[in-house]
Amino acid sequence: MNRLALAGLAAIFAVGGWLIAAPFVLHFQSPGAPWTNAARIDVVTGAVLVLAGFSGFFTALAGRVRELYAEAELRTASETIPSAE
Amino acid sequence: MGLLARYMSGLCVAVTGLCASGWLVLAPVAFGYRGSAPHQTAPHQTALADRATGGGLAVVSLLTLIFWAIAWRRKLRADGVLPRSSRRRARREERDVRRRAAAGQAGSTPDPAQVLSELRALLLPLLAESPAAPLLAESPAAPAAAEPVGALAEPAAVPAPAAAAEPVVVPELHHHGAVPEPRSELEPARLPEGTPEFAAALVPVPAVPLDQLTPPVPSGIAAIESMLAGAELSMVGCGEEEAW
């Protein structure tokens, strides 16, 4: 479930990237021409999604790594206590 | 805080994605670049791209939100913050516990003192039927009222000659200075009649009718075993094996 949730965040990041690139890929924003409303909205929305997806993905990943460290510490402590006894 | 930040960030990003998808679906209408006319090809493409992207983003964000909610819920259950079972299951378990408690009150644990007294009442006839009774019945000293019944003073110190006279059966019911052998409580001690040791060992005691005799009190290992058995039974009656 954690992997799926992380994959969802990565997908949101990818959608943001697609929104930034879409006006240029679909050619409804000519290079050098003044920006249309549609292109501006897409790029701004895409940038917000990219930023949110990136920060959310790495925050969640860092939390998962912290959890793994805590579990490893607990496991090590529980293994050392019986051996000490 | 770290744990909270992890799940909260996931949920926040998912909610942001949902909001963005709604904005993408509504933006062509709000900014007037729907482009339904045939000559407006670029705005039509833009609106289509925005709606398609908004729809896909809505699905992805919704799934992400659900996944993060499930993951957080599982973590909270694993940490014991939330109950491990669902509400319906918890209600059912609570009902079972209540029913069990009511049944337990109806057939409650018996009082240990009562169990011990009942046990004593059950054991008394068995003690009366112990091997001491036939010995007492066969003893020549029993029917005679004035005839003395002796107790053994030092059974180990007295040598038993092989060609002695007819031995006298002396049931050891009263411990007058004698140290009983283990498990030899009810065995008859034999002394040669007519010897000075026999005369010294005989101590006159008032005769007691057989039906008024109390059952023999166990001593030595037999006493310890009986005490252990009683303690074990009381322990089982209390249902507190850990206390033992």
Side-chain angles (χ1 to χ4, degrees), chain A residues 2 8 18 28 38 42 66-67, chain B residues 2-3 6 13 46 50 53 64:
Chain A
N2 278 313
W18 161 248
F28 59 82
D42 280 2
R66 198 181 298 164
E67 271 184 13
Chain B
L3 187 69
R6 179 187 174 205
V13 171
T46 309
D50 279 359
T53 309
T64 308

Side-chain angles (χ1 to χ4, degrees), chain B residues 84-99:
Chain B
R84 286 186 181 270
S85 55
S86 64
R87 281 185 192 171
R88 191 181 297 171
R89 197 170 171 183
R91 247 180 261 149
R92 199 183 308 147
E93 284 176 359
E94 194 180 341
R95 209 180 306 139
D96 286 348
V97 167
R98 244 183 270 147
R99 201 176 298 155

Side-chain angles (χ1 to χ4, degrees), chain B residues 23-57:
Chain B
W23 166 249
L24 282 175
V25 170
L26 290 177
V29 182
F31 287 89
Y33 57 89
R34 284 184 283 190
S36 55
H39 62 277
Q40 295 175 330
T41 315
H44 179 68
Q45 274 186 352
T46 309
L48 195 65
D50 279 359
R51 281 178 185 157
T53 309
L57 184 62

Side-chain angles (χ1 to χ4, degrees), chain A residues 1-2 4-9 11-12 15-16 18-19 22 26-28 37-39 41-42 45 48-49 52-53 55-57 59-61 63-64 66-67 71, chain B residues 1-3 5-7 9-11 13-14 16-17 20-21 23-24 27 31 33 42-43 45-46 49-50 53 56-57 60-61 64 66-68 70-71 74-75:
Chain A
M1 195 55 67
N2 278 313
L4 284 174
L6 278 174
L9 292 182
I12 289 173
V15 169
W18 161 248
L19 275 177
L26 296 178
H27 299 290
F28 59 82
N37 271 344
I41 286 168
D42 280 2
T45 309
V48 169
L49 285 178
S55 59
F57 181 84
T59 306
L61 194 64
R64 179 67 188 146
R66 198 181 298 164
E67 271 184 13
E71 286 171 9
Chain B
M1 185 59 199
L3 187 69
R6 179 187 174 205
Y7 293 99
S9 68
L11 289 173
V13 171
T16 307
S21 68
W23 166 249
L24 282 175
F31 287 89
Y33 57 89
Q45 274 186 352
T46 309
D50 279 359
T53 309
L57 184 62
V60 168
S61 301
T64 308
I66 291 170
F67 289 153
W68 276 111
I70 292 173
R74 281 186 184 174
K75 180 69 180 168

Side-chain angles (χ1 to χ4, degrees), chain B residues 65-189:
Chain B
L65 190 71
I66 291 170
F67 289 153
W68 276 111
I70 292 173
W72 199 2
R73 203 175 164 82
R74 281 186 184 174
K75 180 69 180 168
L76 288 175
R77 276 191 184 151
D79 290 345
V81 179
L82 283 179
R84 286 186 181 270
S85 55
S86 64
R87 281 185 192 171
R88 191 181 297 171
R89 197 170 171 183
R91 247 180 261 149
R92 199 183 308 147
E93 284 176 359
E94 194 180 341
R95 209 180 306 139
D96 286 348
V97 167
R98 244 183 270 147
R99 201 176 298 155
R100 247 178 270 139
Q105 281 176 357
S108 60
T109 312
D111 186 20
Q114 188 185 351
V115 169
L116 276 179
S117 61
E118 286 175 3
L119 188 67
R120 208 171 287 127
L122 284 172
L123 285 176
L124 271 177
L126 294 175
L127 286 172
E129 291 171 4
S130 63
L135 279 176
L136 288 172
E138 288 171 5
S139 170
E147 207 169 328
V149 177
L152 187 61
E154 289 179 358
V158 177
E166 191 181 349
V168 175
V169 178
V170 183
E172 190 185 348
L173 292 177
H174 310 282
H175 307 281
H176 296 290
V179 179
E181 294 285 333
R183 294 184 179 276
S184 64
E185 175 72 20
L186 303 171
E187 291 176 3

Side-chain angles (χ1 to χ4, degrees), chain A:
Chain A
M1 195 55 67
N2 278 313
R3 285 183 185 176
L4 284 174
L6 278 174
L9 292 182
I12 289 173
F13 174 81
V15 169
W18 161 248
L19 275 177
I20 291 173
F24 307 100
V25 171
L26 296 178
H27 299 290
F28 59 82
Q29 175 60 49
S30 305
W35 281 36
T36 60
N37 271 344
R40 204 173 290 134
I41 286 168
D42 280 2
V43 169
V44 170
T45 309
V48 169
L49 285 178
V50 162
L51 197 66
F54 185 84
S55 59
F57 181 84
F58 282 101
T59 306
L61 194 64
R64 179 67 188 146
V65 171
R66 198 181 298 164
E67 271 184 13
L68 289 175
Y69 268 109
E71 286 171 9
E73 276 181 15
L74 275 178
R75 213 178 302 128
T76 311
S78 62
E79 281 171 4
T80 51
I81 287 170
S83 64
E85 287 174 353

